[in-house]
Amino acid sequence: MTLVLHHVQYGRSFRVLWLAEEIGIDRFGGLEVVEYRIGTPEMREGALPCLSPAARIPAIAWDGLEMSESGAIVQHLVERLEPALGRDADHPERAAYLQWIHYAETQASLVEQLNLMMVFLRPPAKPPAVVVKLTVARLRQTLRGMEERLTGDWLLPSGFSAADIMMGFNLFAVPYYVKLDEFPRLTAYKARIEARDAYKRAALREGPQRFYDRDFYPVPDA
Ligand SMILES: N[C@@H](CCC(=O)N[C@@H](CS)C(=O)NCC(=O)O)C(=O)O
């Protein structure tokens, strides 16, 4: 049965797109991507609010199942189809695995707040400099914590997992607000992700990013 993925370009639904490529699209019986533009009324009408209580992406329909929340979708699809990408309840890395899966949203929600203030707000509305500054500092702390704990090629010592999909996706939006040069391990980690065939296929399917209109958004003057 085809996996139907409700998707916004450069949004968290990319995690599911990438995971689907890691697992193999054939294993789902194909993939249908329903694409939205963020902030448009289409997201509040039709199928999406039925699948996602907050009318947000990602949402999926597959094999009689309807789900939203990227972490829940990723964890569930891994457990159903590719347990090697997860860490089961008895695995010594289970706690770390779950922690990274959820930490991904601690970090992504900060990027989302910055997107709201720096990309979506239109003049005459102005992003409040002090709030942007604080949010960037909080984002930087999440990166510092990640850098300190990334001691091998992937987040978990035993190798690549769905935790890398959840967290790794964030690193493609972070550099619009915090330059990754400060974090040599994260920079090398991002390059390792970009070298993965499944990541490349998902990125190709998604196409060039059209969300950000510049390379870097500095904290505005107070
Ligand atoms: N915790 C949710 C967050 C979902 C979310 O906020 N998605 C964003 C796009 S990345 C969205 O749909 N935003 C639409 C809106 O805020 O109206 C997840 O991980 O799936």
Side-chain angles (χ1 to χ4, degrees), residues 85-161:
L85 288 177
R87 299 295 181 268
D88 66 29
D90 301 328
H91 196 287
E93 289 174 342
R94 173 71 170 188
Y97 171 72
L98 288 180
Q99 188 171 314
W100 285 121
I101 294 271
H102 293 273
Y103 189 75
E105 278 300 284
T106 296
Q107 191 172 70
S109 62
L110 294 165
V111 173
E112 181 179 9
Q113 287 166 40
L114 289 166
N115 288 343
L116 279 173
M117 291 187 282
M118 305 299 279
V119 181
F120 289 114
L121 269 194
R122 296 273 175 240
K126 277 197 195 147
V130 65
V131 181
V132 175
K133 192 173 167 192
L134 264 172
T135 311
V136 167
R138 283 154 69 80
L139 179 59
R140 183 174 275 110
Q141 177 55 45
T142 68
L143 294 162
R144 207 176 283 133
M146 194 180 170
E147 170 89 0
E148 283 163 10
R149 285 159 182 80
L150 184 66
T151 52
D153 281 356
W154 304 108
L155 289 169
L156 299 176
S158 63
F160 183 81
S161 73

Side-chain angles (χ1 to χ4, degrees), residues 24 38 74 78 89 104 142 147 164 176 204 213 217:
I38 203 141
V74 164
V78 162
T142 68
E147 170 89 0
D164 296 298
Y176 291 94
L204 199 66
D213 63 3
Y217 294 78

Side-chain angles (χ1 to χ4, degrees), residues 28-104:
F28 294 93
L31 172 68
E32 180 190 334
V33 176
V34 182
E35 193 158 349
Y36 300 84
R37 282 178 65 85
I38 203 141
T40 55
E42 289 73 41
M43 289 189 73
R44 311 263 175 269
E45 299 156 359
L48 189 57
C50 302
L51 297 171
S52 161
R56 294 193 184 197
I57 60 88
I60 64 159
W62 176 69
D63 197 22
L65 182 83
E66 295 179 343
M67 283 183 88
S68 59
E69 288 297 330
S70 59
I73 295 170
V74 164
Q75 191 175 342
H76 183 74
L77 293 180
V78 162
E79 286 170 7
R80 280 282 304 276
L81 293 173
E82 195 64 36
L85 288 177
R87 299 295 181 268
D88 66 29
D90 301 328
H91 196 287
E93 289 174 342
R94 173 71 170 188
Y97 171 72
L98 288 180
Q99 188 171 314
W100 285 121
I101 294 271
H102 293 273
Y103 189 75

